[in-house]
Structure formats: structure tokens, C-alpha cells
Amino acid sequence: MGEYVTYRKARSSLLETARQNLTESAIRKGESIEASIQALQANLLTASETAVLKSGSPQESQAFVERLAEQLPTKVQCVQLRDLNNDRIIASSCGDRPLGSIETSWWSHSPDASSNPISKVRVTTFLPEEDPPNTGTDLISGEPVNEGQLRLRLYAPVYASDRYLYAPDTPGTPDYALTIESRLGQRASDRRFEPGSLTGYTVVIDQNGTILEHANDPDRVGRNIKQEKDAKRLESIVRNAISGRQDFLHLFGLDKAGVELICGYTAITSPLSHGGGEQKWIILAVTPLDSALAGLKQIQQVLFTLILGLLAANLLATLYLTRDLALPIEKLQDYALNIQCRSTSDRVPHNLRIREFNRLAEALDVMVDRLKAWAEELESAWKEAKAANQLKNEFLATISHELRTPLNAIIGCIRLVRDDCCDDRDEEIEFLQRADDAAIHLLNIINDILDISKIEAGTLSVLIEPVDVNKIIQEVIDIQEEPIQQKGLKLTVTESTEPLTIEADPAKLKQVLINLIGNAIKFTDTGTISISTRKETAQTHNGDDLADGSKSSRVVISIQDTGIGIAPDQQQKLFQPFVMVDGTKTRKHGGTGLGLAISRNLIELMGGAIALSSPGIGQGTTVEISLPLLDIWSEGEDRPQDGLDSPELRTMSGVRPEES
């Protein structure tokens, strides 16, 4: 589109330049014709005043005529001196061919010579049919004659020398007539049109529409413009030129080739005007449209070459870009197809040379990393779900065994008593006691299950109040004394020398201690179980006491046994629900695997912490419970009323529930 616009602009510019130049050329042609005619008139008038011609001597006149034909600045075809009295040729440069008829009446009313001497010279035109046949060459110079040029004959009167001497003021009829026949020479603008020239060839039309000169088509000379194909436009040119307008117009059919023409036109005063009103000649500078746009061919060649260059560049760019676009896409395609077979260290190629593809590669890297992370999370979650499913199966197998054992004991003991299989009352009481113990054991298992369900639901609550640690420990020891004695274990208790009061739920704390000491008894066949308490004082990060004068102190209860111990990689798992060191059906020690999980949650709910450590298998186990100690105040100070006299209820969320 850009090249098409450029082509149209160039064509418009060349056409506008041609129009302006042709108009200026028509003006110059008209001025040249006027100047040539005036020069002929002046030279002819001067020659007619010579004494040689006035004498009427044939020999002298012939020599003078021949010299005049050669010396005139405007080339002429013939110079002739004729005797008007007998119409005889006295002297001629073109042989005996008469140059038309001469009307002597032209000079009968000639204006005064002193006022306008040049008016004595009469100018006429003649058409090809008035011209006798010739060889097409100038009779004087021998050069080719352009038959389409303007044909002029100029007549000047010559008076006999004696008559002019005795009657100079009486013009009358001249004795002789000096005649010049000229085609105004071979003007540069009359030459055959050359491509690239914007002068055009000359066309002269008189006011009546007769073509007087047509430098490019001599056959049209003498025809009227009404006979032309584009008569209306030609008539419009004649009217506009006569009115004084100088302009240009496009024509068709004024050339023998029948092509579109451009012509500039103007008007000059006709030299044939003699007292009958001023006549006009219309001068046209004509050129074919293709010749006026000859420079456009070079522009066309340049644009055509540019189009070919652009097409070639486009093709090369397409091939280059296709390669640069295809290679990154292929690399990304290969990476996407083979990503499942690649190692995790492989990355998307980033040296793709195109910024957008590099950004796409970066986005793919991020996406692949995210997918890998999600895959790892899914794999981890799948493993956890698999482990949880296995733990669930183990728990179901364990809990069914743990539930059936006391139930069978209860059923067996009751049936023995019911069927009166006992020997005496003491034996019945013994069986009933066994059933009662089995029922209590069954109840504890069910309570553990309920507690773990409450923990998972977040509804387990504790009632916080001041608790004497030593008293709670002693109560638990009293409960566990019989199993310790039955297994022959040694129990050592190390109590603190000062009273230790903590913030805890006494029932839940007792439940935790029973569970922990029970585990120590269960997993210790021989040796010692040691229970100790101690106080630890925690300080702020800079070692100072708290701002209110109290110390951040805690009570640590340690339960140590010499039992089977625990492997280091299994120690943290024991605080998870349903996890046991030995979860097989053939394990030596019973249990549901809920005790440590419940104990940890209860201790944390009371604001404490629980930790388990063991050097390894067969090296015993130590469990420590850390609980906050009540504030210690100096003797004689009043204890602030902080609400501890009334129990505080805490749930798993750590927020006191609304009372209902």
C-alpha cells in the first residue's frame, strides 16, 4: 500500500509538472512565432527599400535575391521579386515557381508609412493543397522540409526609383512585389517529441478552427477542428485562449496514434489581421501522456525492484523466524512429552533467543516445580493415609482383643457364680472380684476411647484448681502398689522438701500419672521404678525476675524405669494415637496405644508439657511432666485474689466455655 501511494503521488507530481511546463512551452512557442514573423517583416521591409530592387535590373535583382535568401536569420524556402504590371518574375531563389497570386489592392489604401512602416508588409498563410508538389527538401538548403509546419508568405511593395523620387507621398500601386515564402525555420520545439522533454510539439489553430500547423501529423494541416475526434475539447481550448486564458487540457484523437495527450495552450495576435478586427492564433504545446510520464518508468522499476526485495526479505525473514520459532517450540514439546521420564534436576531450556519463549520456559519451570511439590505432598499424604489406615487396622485388632479379654473374664466369672460352681462363699466373692476388676479395666478402655474422641473433636475440658503434687502422687502409688508388689519391682519415691502446689485438674492429673506409672510397671519385668519431683525456676530472656515480683516456676514430675526401653526413632511416634512400639497381635504387653496421646493432650491443656526419653532398647525409659507452680510470695504478704480459689474450666481450645 505504501508503494502504491508513492507511485500515485509520483505520477500526480509528474503530471502536474508536465501540465505547467506545457503551458509555459505554449507561451514560449507563441512568442517565438511572433518574433519570427516580425523579424521576417522587418527584413523584408528593409530589403524592399534597396535601390537594387527599385532599379528593376534583372541581373542585379537576381543576385540580391539569392544573397537575401542566404542571409535572412529565419530560414526561408523562397525569395522572389515580381513585376506587378505584367505579373512577371524578375528574380527568384526557387526557380520559376510563382509564389501565389498578389492582390495589388492591398496597398491601395495603405496607412501612412511614417506612422507604421511595417504595415506595408502583408502576411498570408497557405495550405498544403495550395503548395505545388516538391521533393520534400528545401530548395535553398537542401534540408528535409517538415510539411506540418506553419506556411507563411510575406509581400512587401517595391516602387520604381524614379517614381518614388518624384512622388514620394503618393503611394498608389507598387511597381514590384518582394515575396518571401517561409515555414519559420526548424524550431527546437517543432522537433519530433523526445521522451523526458516537456516542451511538446507545436499545433497552431486559427480563430476559425483551421489547423495551420501540426508538427507531429502534417496530414491534419488544413483540417478544421470540428472534424477531429475530440472536437468539443478543441473548441473549448479555442474559446478559452481567445478570452485570454492560458491553461492546459487533456485531449484524445489529435494525434495519429490516437493516444491520450496533454496540451498547454495560449493565444497570439494573428499577423493576418488588417483593419478588419483583431484575429487570434491559438498556439498549443502537445505531448502524449505516456511521454509526459516517461520518468515514471524509472520509478516503476525502482518500486518493482523494491517490491521484489521486500518479498525476498519477507521470505528470508519468514524462513528465519520459522526456524527460530519452530526450534523453541520443539524443545518445549520434547520437554513436555518427556517430563515424566526426566529426573527432577532437569530444567526447561532457557536459551531460546526469544524473550517470550524464555518467559514461557520460566512459567513452565514454576509450574513443574509446583506440580512436583504437589506430587510430593500427595505422596506424603498418601503415605500418611496408608500409615493411618494401617494404624486403624492395628487399633481395631488391638481394641477388639483388649475388649474381649475383660469381657470374657467377666462372663466366665459371673457364669461360675450363677451356675453355683463355687465351693464356698469366699470363692464366689473371689470370682465376683475378678469380674469387677475386669469390668473396671473395660471401663478404663472405653474411657480412653471417649477421651481420644473428645480430644480430636476439641471438646475435652479440664477443671484447673490448686493441687498438692505430693498428695496426688501418693494416691497414685497407693493404687499401683499391688501390681508393683506382684511383679517384685522396687519403687523409690523422692519428694521435694517443700510443699509443691500446682495449677491442674486433680482427676486428670491422677489419670495421667496412673497411665504413666502403669506403663512403667507394664514394661518393666525386673528392676526399679523411680518417682521424683523437683522445682525449676525459669527466667526472662535477660535473666531478671518478672515485673510483678513473681518467678516463672514449674514443677517437674519424673517417672523412670529400668524396663525394655524404646528405640530413638520410635520415641516421638508414641505420642500419636493408636501407636505402640509393638503393634502386632502376638505382642507380649497389652494396651490400646491411647495412653500417651491422651496424657500429652491433658498435660498441655493444663498448661504443662510432657517428654519421653530412652537411651535405647533394654535401657529403660524416663517420662517427665512439667506443670506450672503457683506464685510464691514472701512471708507476711497478702496473696492477691486472682480467682484461683474458684476452679477454672479449660477446653481444648484454651477458652473458658459459656456456663449453661
Side-chain angles (χ1 to χ4, degrees):
M1 289 299 295
E3 292 184 0
Y4 176 75
V5 171
T6 302
Y7 173 79
R8 296 300 299 178
K9 291 289 290 184
R11 187 179 187 278
S12 299
S13 299
L14 290 175
L15 192 59
E16 184 63 26
T17 301
R19 290 166 177 171
Q20 294 176 0
N21 288 354
L22 287 173
T23 302
E24 295 175 357
S25 177
I27 296 173
R28 290 195 299 271
K29 289 177 185 294
E31 294 173 350
S32 175
I33 291 174
E34 285 183 327
S36 297
I37 294 175
Q38 290 176 2
L40 285 174
Q41 287 178 316
N43 290 326
L44 184 61
L45 182 62
T46 302
S48 66
E49 299 292 334
T50 60
V52 174
L53 297 181
K54 291 179 179 291
S55 65
S57 171
Q59 293 78 11
E60 294 178 355
S61 298
Q62 180 66 34
F64 179 81
V65 165
E66 291 178 354
R67 289 196 304 272
L68 180 63
E70 295 176 355
Q71 294 174 358
L72 284 175
T74 301
K75 291 184 179 181
V76 297
Q77 277 68 46
C78 186
V79 179
Q80 195 173 88
L81 179 65
R82 296 172 66 178
D83 189 345
L84 297 180
N85 295 322
N86 52 22
D87 197 21
R88 181 174 59 88
I89 299 175
I90 298 176
S92 175
S93 63
C94 55
D96 296 333
R97 179 175 65 89
L99 299 181
S101 61
I102 301 175
E103 296 182 12
T104 58
S105 60
W106 286 353
W107 294 291
S108 60
H109 301 288
S110 175
D112 186 43
S114 61
S115 61
N116 187 12
I118 202 170
S119 62
K120 294 180 180 180
V121 180
R122 304 299 180 180
V123 181
T124 64
T125 61
F126 63 97
L127 300 177
E129 58 268 17
E130 302 173 8
D131 193 24
N134 57 54
T135 60
T137 59
D138 192 288
L139 297 177
I140 298 177
S141 63
E143 296 178 357
V145 175
N146 186 349
E147 298 295 333
Q149 282 188 319
L150 181 63
R151 302 163 185 246
L152 296 177
R153 285 177 182 156
L154 292 83
Y155 303 90
V158 178
Y159 297 90
S161 58
D162 52 354
R163 178 181 175 183
Y164 185 76
L165 179 64
Y166 294 107
D169 298 330
T170 307
T173 302
D175 298 301
Y176 309 103
L178 182 61
T179 306
I180 294 178
E181 182 177 297
S182 174
R183 297 185 184 179
L184 297 186
Q186 189 73 12
R187 298 184 303 273
S189 59
D190 294 334
R191 296 193 188 100
R192 189 74 178 173
F193 178 76
E194 298 177 0
S197 172
L198 294 178
T199 57
Y201 58 82
T202 306
V203 175
V204 180
I205 304 173
D206 67 9
Q207 188 166 327
N208 298 322
T210 301
I211 299 176
L212 302 178
E213 177 178 351
H214 198 302
N216 193 45
D217 189 2
D219 294 337
R220 295 180 183 270
V221 176
R223 295 174 60 178
N224 195 281
I225 58 175
K226 294 180 180 180
Q227 300 173 332
E228 299 295 335
K229 180 179 179 181
D230 206 358
K232 292 184 178 180
R233 288 177 178 266
L234 290 171
E235 291 174 354
S236 173
I237 290 175
V238 171
R239 288 194 301 270
N240 292 339
I242 291 174
S243 65
R245 185 174 178 180
Q246 297 173 339
D247 206 346
F248 60 87
L249 195 66
H250 288 244
L251 293 175
F252 296 90
L254 191 60
D255 193 281
K256 58 184 177 182
V259 297
E260 182 177 357
L261 305 172
I262 305 177
C263 71
Y265 59 86
T266 187
I268 62 173
T269 302
S270 172
L272 309 183
S273 302
H274 297 289
E278 188 176 273
Q279 299 291 315
K280 296 287 186 181
W281 280 359
I282 292 82
I283 311 299
L284 279 67
V286 184
T287 187
L289 179 63
D290 293 340
S291 299
L293 299 178
L296 196 61
K297 293 182 179 179
Q298 297 179 353
I299 298 176
Q300 288 175 339
Q301 294 176 355
V302 172
L303 292 179
F304 181 73
T305 304
L306 181 59
I307 289 175
L308 292 180
L310 289 176
L311 290 176
N314 186 32
L315 179 60
L316 293 176
T318 302
L319 294 176
Y320 180 78
L321 290 178
T322 300
R323 183 188 63 182
D324 280 1
L325 290 175
L327 290 178
I329 292 176
E330 290 177 359
K331 290 182 180 180
L332 294 177
Q333 178 184 4
D334 293 340
Y335 178 83
L337 292 176
N338 300 325
I339 188 171
Q340 57 183 354
C341 304
R342 297 175 181 266
S343 61
T344 55
S345 60
D346 290 341
R347 308 290 290 179
V348 180
H350 286 268
N351 55 340
L352 302 180
R353 299 176 61 186
I354 299 178
R355 181 179 59 185
E356 288 73 12
F357 282 117
N358 286 330
R359 289 183 178 178
L360 178 59
E362 294 174 0
L364 287 176
D365 265 343
V366 174
M367 181 186 71
V368 170
D369 291 341
R370 190 175 301 171
L371 289 175
K372 289 179 179 179
W374 288 347
E376 292 175 358
E377 292 177 1
L378 288 175
E379 184 177 3
S380 177
W382 177 77
K383 290 181 179 179
E384 292 178 0
K386 185 177 180 181
N389 186 56
Q390 182 178 356
L391 290 175
K392 180 197 71 173
N393 294 334
E394 293 178 358
F395 171 74
L396 291 177
T398 300
I399 202 65
S400 62
H401 175 74
E402 292 295 329
L403 291 176
R404 282 197 305 270
T405 299
L407 280 175
N408 289 333
I410 294 171
I411 293 172
C413 291
I414 292 176
R415 286 182 178 179
L416 288 174
V417 175
R418 184 195 65 184
D419 295 338
D420 198 15
C421 296
C422 300
D423 295 336
D424 51 22
R425 179 63 178 170
D426 293 336
E427 191 174 4
E428 289 181 357
I429 292 175
E430 181 182 355
F431 281 122
L432 291 175
Q433 184 61 43
R434 290 181 183 178
D436 181 68
D437 293 340
I440 294 300
H441 180 64
L442 181 61
L443 179 62
N444 290 334
I445 294 174
I446 295 173
N447 286 336
D448 287 345
I449 296 174
L450 292 176
D451 286 344
I452 199 67
S453 65
K454 289 181 180 180
I455 290 172
E456 292 181 352
T459 59
L460 182 65
S461 61
V462 293
L463 189 62
I464 302 300
E465 61 182 41
V467 176
D468 186 352
V469 175
N470 294 330
K471 180 179 178 182
I472 293 294
I473 293 175
Q474 187 59 47
E475 292 177 359
V476 174
I477 291 174
D478 292 341
I479 296 172
Q480 299 289 355
E481 185 176 3
E482 182 178 356
I484 293 174
Q485 291 177 357
Q486 289 178 356
K487 296 191 70 172
L489 301 175
K490 181 180 178 182
L491 177 65
T492 60
V493 179
T494 304
E495 297 182 356
S496 176
T497 57
E498 57 180 326
L500 298 176
T501 303
I502 62 175
E503 299 175 346
D505 185 329
K508 301 299 183 184
L509 180 58
K510 185 183 293 185
Q511 177 183 349
V512 172
L513 291 174
I514 290 173
N515 183 279
L516 296 179
I517 295 174
N519 284 342
I521 296 171
K522 182 193 304 184
F523 296 105
T524 304
D525 294 332
T526 59
T528 305
I529 296 175
S530 301
I531 303 173
S532 64
T533 58
R534 68 180 185 273
K535 182 178 71 172
E536 291 183 352
T537 302
Q539 293 180 327
T540 59
H541 67 281
N542 57 6
D544 298 333
D545 295 338
L546 298 177
D548 58 1
S550 63
K551 299 179 182 296
S552 176
S553 301
R554 304 180 75 81
V555 174
V556 179
I557 305 172
S558 177
I559 302 170
Q560 185 177 7
D561 62 61
T562 58
I564 62 174
I566 306 170
D569 58 341
Q570 298 290 329
Q571 294 175 15
Q572 292 299 323
K573 296 180 180 180
L574 294 178
F575 288 102
Q576 299 178 8
F578 318 123
V579 175
M580 293 179 289
V581 176
D582 183 8
T584 62
K585 296 180 181 179
T586 60
R587 65 187 184 278
K588 179 179 178 182
H589 306 284
T592 61
L594 300 176
L596 288 178
I598 295 173
S599 299
R600 185 189 65 176
N601 283 278
L602 290 175
I603 293 299
E604 290 178 353
L605 192 56
M606 289 185 284
I610 185 170
L612 182 146
S613 63
S614 174
I617 297 176
Q619 301 182 39
T621 304
T622 301
V623 180
E624 290 186 347
I625 300 173
S626 175
L627 289 168
L629 181 67
L630 282 178
D631 295 338
I632 301 174
W633 296 89
S634 302
E635 186 178 356
E637 292 182 346
D638 295 333
R639 182 182 182 88
Q641 298 298 322
D642 54 0
L644 290 177
D645 292 338
S646 58
E648 179 185 357
L649 184 63
R650 297 182 185 173
T651 61
M652 285 299 294
S653 61
V655 180
R656 182 189 297 272
E658 294 295 329
E659 297 181 357
S660 59

